[in-house]
């Protein structure tokens, strides 16, 4: 199977899983990216089985609406039953790097609210240590140079993702050369404390609850490993 077929397969596995968790009052959180897009297209025919969705980006909201799926504002709901999203990297603790599609801030907000975070990915995203994928950081535009200097002090090599403006009107710095990230939780906290940073793409303090990984051998379901490595 090629990468696109793996994404389709894992998206279908997530649809089956989600349908076992929702009822007519449920709100489903929807992520951003090509794998999340597969999920949107596949869940569309089951839209009558849940109430509405919350989208982590304007792009996903538009795709959901094109299927006739209701999209609510997050402030209008008190609960999100389940959130499904892709990742750029995932390790055995289900700590993730996200933000390749520049939607990391809204993604992190929806994971904070959701009762369960289901990550879906093809096997190319599975790593022993995070940091091979440059870590995306959403930054307030006027703080770009200051934040970049602070990231260099942490050992990274930040590169401005030029011509990209996030849905929140901010810029993205992609931090190279962090691999291997030792404690993802510690680094997530340190970067959060740099003034001018809106969000960083480490999802370690609140990792995924379950990961469906599409491999050539089939779907592997991972729950967070508790051992240290
Ligand atoms: C967007 C994300 C995506 O989930 C991540 O980039 C994976 O994308 P894809 O499914 O296209 O590989 O974090 O901000």
């Amino acid at each position: 199977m090629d990468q696109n077929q793996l994404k389709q397969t894992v998206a279908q596995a997530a649809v089956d899983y989600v349908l076992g968790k929702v009822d007519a009052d449920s709100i489903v959180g929807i992520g951003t990216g090509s794998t999340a897009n597969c999920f949107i297209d596949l869940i569309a025919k089951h839209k009558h089985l849940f109430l509405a969705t919350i989208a982590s980006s304007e792009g996903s909201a538009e795709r959901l609406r094109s299927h006739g799926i209701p999209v609510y504002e997050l402030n209008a709901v008190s609960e999100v039953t389940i959130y499904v999203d892709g990742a750029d990297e995932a390790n055995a603790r289900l700590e993730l790097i996200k933000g390749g599609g520049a939607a990391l801030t809204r993604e992190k907000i929806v994971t904070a609210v959701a009762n369960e975070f289901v990550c879906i990915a093809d096997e190319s995203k599975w790593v022993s240590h995070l940091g091979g994928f440059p870590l995306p950081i959403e930054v307030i535009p006027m703080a770009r140079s200051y934040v970049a200097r602070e990231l260099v002090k942490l050992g990274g090599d930040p590169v401005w993702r030029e011509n990209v403006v996030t849905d929140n009107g901010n810029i993205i710095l992609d931090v190279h050369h962090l691999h291997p990230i030792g404690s993802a939780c510690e680094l997530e906290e340190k970067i959060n404390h740099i003034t001018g940073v809106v969000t960083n793409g480490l999802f370690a303090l609140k990792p995924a609850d379950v990961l469906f990984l599409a491999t050539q051998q089939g779907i592997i379901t991972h729950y967070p490993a508790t051992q240290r490595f």
Side-chain angles (χ1 to χ4, degrees), residues 112-162:
V113 177
N115 296 339
E116 184 176 2
F117 173 19
V118 179
C119 186
I120 52 175
D122 65 82
E123 59 193 352
S124 70
K125 310 296 182 66
W126 183 249
V127 296
S128 56
H129 289 85
L130 300 174
F133 189 91
L135 178 64
I137 319 273
E138 180 163 356
V139 177
I140 301 287
M142 74 171 288
R144 190 187 76 235
S145 298
Y146 168 71
V147 170
R149 289 194 294 275
E150 293 301 302
L151 290 167
V152 168
K153 288 182 196 165
L154 292 178
D157 181 9
V159 176
W160 180 19
R161 205 185 294 178
E162 288 191 72

Side-chain angles (χ1 to χ4, degrees), residues 35-67:
T35 319
N37 282 345
C38 295
F39 177 79
I40 293 171
D41 296 345
L42 288 168
I43 205 156
K45 61 175 170 291
H46 307 287
K47 62 186 175 200
H48 56 287
L49 296 176
F50 52 90
L51 181 64
T53 58
I54 297 290
S56 70
S57 63
E58 300 298 336
S60 291
E62 204 173 298
R63 196 176 189 103
L64 286 159
R65 288 194 194 101
S66 77
H67 284 294

Side-chain angles (χ1 to χ4, degrees), residues 3 7 31-38 56-57 83-89 97-105 107 117 119-122 124-125 133 136 161 172 201 203:
Q3 196 181 26
K7 288 180 185 191
T32 299
S34 56
T35 319
N37 282 345
C38 295
S56 70
S57 63
Y83 176 58
V84 179
D85 198 0
D88 298 302
E89 284 188 347
I97 285 186
K98 290 184 49 51
L104 62 162
T105 298
E107 290 169 347
F117 173 19
C119 186
I120 52 175
D122 65 82
S124 70
K125 310 296 182 66
F133 189 91
R161 205 185 294 178
I172 298 285
F203 286 56

Side-chain angles (χ1 to χ4, degrees), residues 85-220:
D85 198 0
D88 298 302
E89 284 188 347
N91 69 17
R93 296 161 89 152
L94 306 197
E95 296 166 334
L96 313 172
I97 285 186
K98 290 184 49 51
L104 62 162
T105 298
R106 294 187 186 197
E107 290 169 347
K108 210 175 259 196
I109 292 168
V110 185
T111 65
V113 177
N115 296 339
E116 184 176 2
F117 173 19
V118 179
C119 186
I120 52 175
D122 65 82
E123 59 193 352
S124 70
K125 310 296 182 66
W126 183 249
V127 296
S128 56
H129 289 85
L130 300 174
F133 189 91
L135 178 64
I137 319 273
E138 180 163 356
V139 177
I140 301 287
M142 74 171 288
R144 190 187 76 235
S145 298
Y146 168 71
V147 170
R149 289 194 294 275
E150 293 301 302
L151 290 167
V152 168
K153 288 182 196 165
L154 292 178
D157 181 9
V159 176
W160 180 19
R161 205 185 294 178
E162 288 191 72
N163 305 318
V164 169
V165 176
T166 70
D167 286 348
N168 313 305
N170 297 314
I171 60 113
I172 298 285
L173 294 176
D174 292 306
V175 189
H176 296 247
H177 300 145
L178 289 173
H179 186 267
I181 292 175
S183 168
C185 288
E186 222 171 87
L187 185 60
E188 184 176 354
E189 274 179 323
K190 273 189 191 158
I191 297 175
N192 282 344
H193 282 116
I194 301 173
T195 303
V197 166
V198 178
T199 317
N200 72 79
L202 280 169
F203 286 56
L205 295 166
K206 191 175 188 303
D209 295 301
V210 59
L211 167 69
F212 292 124
L213 193 71
T215 74
Q216 297 299 340
Q217 290 72 43
I219 300 290
I220 300 178

